[in-house]
């Protein structure tokens, strides 16, 4: 009956009325120290709030656990995938793994894994090529040395019974043995050069040098051979041309081309070696008026152990032009051949003055 008066006194701003209101409430056990559960309305609101908070926390924790389980399962699934791909690498399966374009650490991991697989593939292919190269090289060497070695064995057997030989025959067989030994020496040296070039284990020591000096060095040992056939050799070009090149290997290449021309030029023929330069390259030409090369044979002349149908030189085993090509191209140069049957041949070497990285 007095609630309106009580409420008015409690909400009044007058401290005196406020204290008076507290006295009235104290009589009915409504004090500031009263426990919340004794207040039905407050207790009900408190319980609802508590239950809601617990429910929200349970849902939140469940959601967090679910998300963590999903992400962890995804991570472990990817780890199992990487493990499976790694096992495949061990067994020789080198397929690329998907996911290297993804963002984040896993994308980086997949990219590095695929890079490793690619390098392993390249390494195994290189090892396989090296194995085939060594097998082929051993076969080639044994094949090329078989003939002179058989001749030496035969000459040795004949000379072992020298008491039945005349002095002239003994001298002849000794001379033939010497020729076969020299051929074997020449073969071994050139086969080793070929092996180094084909195996790409040659380090070219390029330096700025006069090309005229290199050319003269390359033909010096073959002048006697050309003179014996009465071949007219012309060497012409500016004396101040300088280009970066490996003097020894370039001289070897030019020497092989010059020797090839000598072997295919008739007695009294002509060979011309010339050179010129521009802002980009130095060009060297070796031209002859020999028997020429057929159109069908021309693409094969730089293949190793290729011998032309008209080749009858005992020292020609088909590696000279192969060495020349690889020696020039190994320095970043280029070599081409132009020829027609009965119209001579021309070999053109270009040594670059400008290099692009």
């Amino acid at each position: 009956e007095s609630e309106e008066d009580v409420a008015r006194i409690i909400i009044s701003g007058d401290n005196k009325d406020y204290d008076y209101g507290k006295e009235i409430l104290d009589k009915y056990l409504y004090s500031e120290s009263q426990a919340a559960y004794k207040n039905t309305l407050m207790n009900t609101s408190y319980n609802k709030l508590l239950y809601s908070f617990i429910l929200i926390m349970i849902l939140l924790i469940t959601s967090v656990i679910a998300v963590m389980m999903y992400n962890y399962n995804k991570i472990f699934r990817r780890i199992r995938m990487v493990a499976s791909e790694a096992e495949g690498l061990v067994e020789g399966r080198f397929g690329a793994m998907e996911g290297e374009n993804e963002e984040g650490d896993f994308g980086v991991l997949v990219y590095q894994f695929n890079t490793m697989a690619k390098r392993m593939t390249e390494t195994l292919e290189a090892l396989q090529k090296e194995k085939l190269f060594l097998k082929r090289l051993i076969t080639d060497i044994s094949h090329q040395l078989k003939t002179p070695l058989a001749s030496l064995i035969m000459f040795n057997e004949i000379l072992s019974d020298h008491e039945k030989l005349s002095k002239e025959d003994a001298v002849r067989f000794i001379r033939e043995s010497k020729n076969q030994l020299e051929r074997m020496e020449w073969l071994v040296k050139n086969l080793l050069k070929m092996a180094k070039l084909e195996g790409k284990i040659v380090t070219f020591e390029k330096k700025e040098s006069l090309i005229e000096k290199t050319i003269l060095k390359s033909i010096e040992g073959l002048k006697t051979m050309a003179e014996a056939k009465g071949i007219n050799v012309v060497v012409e070009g500016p004396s101040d041309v300088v280009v970066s090149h490996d003097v020894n290997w370039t001289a070897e290449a030019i020497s092989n081309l010059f020797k090839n021309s000598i072997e295919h030029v008739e007695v009294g023929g002509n060979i011309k070696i010339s050179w010129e330069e521009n802002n980009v390259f130095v060009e060297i030409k070796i031209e002859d008026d020999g028997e020429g090369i057929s159109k069908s044979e021309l693409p094969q002349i730089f293949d190793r152990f290729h011998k032309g149908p008209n080749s009858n030189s005992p020292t020609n085993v088909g590696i000279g032009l192969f060495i020349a090509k690889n020696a020039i191209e190994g320095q970043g140069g280029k070599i081409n051949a132009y020829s027609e049957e009965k119209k001579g041949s021309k070999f053109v070497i270009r040594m670059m003055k400008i290099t692009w990285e």
Side-chain angles (χ1 to χ4, degrees):
E1 295 176 356
S2 304
E3 63 178 340
E4 293 183 2
D5 294 333
V6 172
R8 178 179 54 77
I9 293 171
I10 290 175
I11 65 176
S12 172
D14 192 338
N15 290 333
K16 181 179 179 182
D17 292 340
Y18 180 77
D19 294 337
Y20 178 60
K22 286 178 63 179
E23 290 178 5
I24 295 174
L25 290 173
D26 286 341
K27 292 179 181 180
Y28 298 94
L29 301 178
Y30 283 95
S31 64
E32 292 178 343
S33 60
Q34 185 181 25
Y37 71 90
K38 293 182 179 181
N39 188 320
T40 304
L41 180 62
M42 184 176 292
N43 189 48
T44 301
S45 299
Y46 172 78
N47 289 336
K48 287 181 178 180
L49 180 62
L50 179 62
Y51 295 149
S52 298
F53 176 76
I54 293 173
L55 180 61
I56 291 171
M57 289 301 297
I58 290 174
L59 292 174
L60 180 62
I61 292 173
T62 303
S63 299
V64 171
I65 292 174
V67 171
M68 290 177 64
M69 290 296 292
Y70 173 78
N71 288 329
Y72 277 120
N73 185 54
K74 187 177 179 181
I75 291 171
F76 285 120
R77 187 168 62 251
R78 289 180 172 182
I79 291 174
R80 287 192 294 271
M81 181 177 69
V82 174
S84 176
E85 292 293 334
E87 184 179 358
L89 286 181
V90 175
E91 296 176 354
R93 302 192 303 270
F94 297 99
M97 186 167 55
E98 297 180 356
E100 67 176 40
N101 294 324
E102 295 183 12
E103 296 182 356
D105 293 337
F106 188 77
V108 175
L109 174 63
V110 173
Y111 173 78
Q112 295 294 342
F113 184 89
N114 288 340
T115 301
M116 178 186 68
K118 182 179 179 182
R119 290 180 179 174
M120 288 180 65
T121 303
E122 293 173 351
T123 301
L124 288 175
E125 289 177 352
L127 289 173
Q128 186 67 21
K129 288 180 180 178
E130 183 178 354
K131 181 179 178 181
L132 292 174
F133 168 71
L134 289 174
K135 180 180 178 181
R136 187 172 58 182
L137 178 63
I138 292 171
T139 302
D140 291 338
I141 291 175
S142 62
H143 176 73
Q144 296 297 330
L145 295 178
K146 182 170 60 177
T147 301
L149 187 59
S151 297
L152 281 172
I153 293 172
M154 181 184 67
F155 294 152
N156 186 64
E157 289 177 353
I158 294 173
L159 290 170
S160 63
D161 197 13
H162 62 278
E163 294 178 355
K164 297 180 180 180
L165 292 175
S166 64
K167 184 177 181 181
E168 291 77 10
D169 288 337
V171 170
R172 181 167 59 87
F173 283 119
I174 291 173
R175 184 171 59 250
E176 288 296 330
S177 296
K178 179 183 177 184
N179 291 336
Q180 293 300 326
L181 286 170
E182 289 176 348
R183 185 187 178 198
M184 289 181 66
E185 181 185 19
W186 182 88
L187 272 171
V188 170
K189 286 181 179 178
N190 282 275
L191 286 168
L192 289 175
K193 290 176 185 177
M194 183 198 70
K196 288 180 180 179
L197 289 167
E198 191 173 8
K200 299 187 186 302
I201 58 175
V202 174
T203 301
F204 293 102
E205 299 178 358
K206 298 173 65 176
K207 61 181 180 180
E208 297 287 334
S209 303
L210 289 168
I211 200 65
E212 180 185 35
K213 184 177 179 180
T214 302
I215 291 173
L216 293 176
K217 176 182 178 180
S218 69
I219 66 174
E220 182 65 31
L222 296 170
K223 284 182 177 180
T224 304
M225 183 178 176
E227 291 172 356
K229 291 184 69 174
I231 296 174
N232 178 41
V233 179
V234 177
V235 180
E236 62 179 22
S239 60
D240 59 345
V241 175
V242 174
V243 68
S244 178
H245 64 285
D246 186 302
V247 173
N248 292 327
W249 278 108
T250 304
E252 177 74 22
I254 297 172
S255 176
N256 287 343
L257 295 174
F258 184 54
K259 180 175 179 291
N260 180 79
S261 293
I262 294 174
E263 291 174 349
H264 293 86
V265 170
E266 298 293 335
V267 175
N270 299 282
I271 298 176
K272 179 181 178 181
I273 303 176
S274 61
W275 63 93
E276 58 185 4
E277 69 172 334
N278 56 34
N279 292 331
V280 179
F281 56 80
V282 171
E283 187 174 82
I284 306 167
K285 297 178 183 177
I286 298 96
E287 304 172 77
D288 65 63
D289 57 0
E291 60 193 24
I293 305 169
S294 66
K295 186 176 181 180
S296 60
E297 186 190 354
L298 193 59
Q300 306 170 23
I301 61 171
F302 290 111
D303 294 345
R304 66 194 193 102
F305 299 115
H306 173 77
K307 295 176 66 175
N310 299 323
S311 177
N312 54 14
S313 172
T315 60
N316 185 5
V317 293
I319 60 178
L321 296 185
F322 175 87
I323 291 174
K325 179 179 174 66
N326 283 271
I328 296 299
E329 292 185 350
Q331 300 178 65
K334 191 70 177 176
I335 181 170
N336 291 300
Y338 307 91
S339 183
E340 292 183 35
E341 286 187 276
K342 309 302 181 183
K343 294 185 179 181
S345 302
K346 177 172 69 173
F347 292 90
V348 179
I349 297 172
R350 286 184 175 178
M351 307 293 292
M352 304 306 295
K353 298 174 70 174
I354 301 176
T355 58
W356 290 270
E357 296 296 338

